[in-house]
Amino acid sequence: MPQIRLDKLLADMGVASRRELREIIRAGRVQVDGVTETRPERKLEVDTALVSLDGKALRYRRFHYYMMDKPVGVLTATEDKTQQTVLDLLPPELRRLGLFPVGRLDKDTSGLLLLTDDGDFVHRVISPKSCVKKRYYAEVEGEADEEDAAAFSRGIVLKDGTQCLPAELEPLGGGRCVVTVMEGKYHQVRRMLASRGKPVLVLRRLSIGGLSLGEELGPGGFRELGENDLCTLFNA
Ligand code: URA
């Protein structure tokens, strides 16, 4: 069974920095299996040890998964010298987890963004081979129609000659449509619609696989994903 130092385990949970944790542990605020432990170097079985801080039980997770309703105007990046990033929207204890975005949404795109510290998960979500569908709501100049839908289903060729995989376009009327793609090329949906002479005015990601955003989080809102959410995501 994997063993890990007590201070590292608590740092991985985002409780505090490693240095702060050494003080917290030495101060007698941490219990392991109900007994106060003052040695930061104490080795634990990560799967079985019951750890609490100030009497409150903590839960160890090897990896972390969050969804966010990314607002327009925020960069999909972990840091930037001048502009606000999606990581800036998280509280300090979550920023300490080392999360990064799963793929990217343009600065002007809003909607469902996943954040994790699990590199394999990123690959599973964004690789076209995984066939995880990404659905977008778009408002365009002009009217996206059935001819556009037919062109999308054949596979759009972008203005620079890039061939896209077959995709779906559902016209909603009033310059609105829903686009579903299985890959994530740079500015893909905007460029696909532009290639049909329908420049995008508004773009919002609605879902990834079976996981939908809804409106309940609100711009900049986020929540942790549990096992059920991850199953929903991949079992669409
Ligand atoms: N396609 C785009 O053009 N932009 C995004 O942000 C996501 C998909």
Side-chain angles (χ1 to χ4, degrees):
M1 257 187 218
Q3 286 210 334
I4 189 168
R5 280 175 62 119
L6 178 57
D7 55 353
K8 167 100 171 58
L9 179 97
L10 292 167
D12 287 353
M13 291 177 184
V15 172
S17 71
R18 207 69 189 258
R19 191 169 49 78
E20 289 164 341
L21 281 165
R22 281 196 284 275
E23 284 168 26
I24 289 172
I25 295 166
R26 288 194 184 112
R29 293 172 55 194
V30 173
Q31 295 80 41
V32 176
D33 297 329
V35 179
T36 298
E37 176 58 76
T38 55
R39 293 167 299 160
E41 68 279 9
R42 160 84 183 270
K43 287 268 179 73
L44 303 172
E45 307 280 352
V46 290
D47 296 325
T48 54
L50 297 173
V51 181
S52 51
L53 170 65
D54 297 332
K56 199 169 148 244
L58 301 172
R59 188 172 45 109
Y60 178 75
R61 284 191 138 197
R62 178 146 154 62
F63 293 118
H64 305 85
Y65 309 90
Y66 284 81
M67 69 192 271
M68 174 184 279
D69 186 342
K70 176 197 168 299
V72 165
V74 178
L75 285 191
T76 304
T78 51
E79 57 183 344
D80 191 85
K81 287 206 173 70
T82 55
Q83 300 189 64
Q84 191 180 37
T85 72
V86 290
L87 264 290
D88 294 331
L89 301 176
L90 299 177
E93 65 273 20
L94 296 191
R95 286 207 293 271
R96 275 196 291 266
L97 293 177
L99 300 172
F100 41 85
V102 178
R104 66 185 291 282
L105 291 177
D106 304 332
K107 188 175 171 188
D108 291 337
T109 303
S110 67
L112 178 57
L113 183 71
L114 302 177
L115 298 155
T116 188
D117 49 0
D118 178 351
D120 289 342
F121 174 78
V122 176
H123 183 69
R124 273 186 79 193
V125 174
I126 66 176
S127 165
K129 287 195 189 122
S130 308
C131 298
V132 175
K133 293 183 174 179
K134 288 93 185 172
R135 280 176 75 239
Y136 296 85
Y137 166 81
E139 293 177 14
V140 299
E141 262 177 43
E143 195 65 76
D145 55 23
E146 291 302 337
E147 276 183 37
D148 297 317
F152 268 55
S153 69
R154 287 192 297 270
I156 292 280
V157 180
L158 301 178
K159 286 180 179 163
D160 66 358
T162 305
Q163 173 73 55
C164 298
L165 291 173
E168 291 165 31
L169 183 147
E170 186 191 340
L172 299 177
R176 299 167 306 134
C177 61
V178 172
V179 171
T180 305
V181 295
M182 279 202 270
E183 51 187 346
K185 298 187 195 303
Y186 181 66
H187 288 334
Q188 178 156 358
V189 175
R190 291 174 194 277
R191 291 198 293 157
M192 286 167 91
L193 284 160
S195 79
R196 299 289 307 162
K198 316 279 160 73
V200 167
L201 304 172
V202 172
L203 192 60
R204 178 169 174 77
R205 183 151 64 195
L206 303 173
S207 61
I208 299 176
L211 190 67
S212 298
L213 181 59
E215 298 298 326
E216 64 274 7
L217 292 179
F222 58 89
R223 74 167 175 88
E224 191 170 13
L225 300 177
E227 286 295 323
N228 288 347
D229 294 308
L230 300 181
C231 290
T232 305
L233 193 161
F234 289 113
N235 290 337

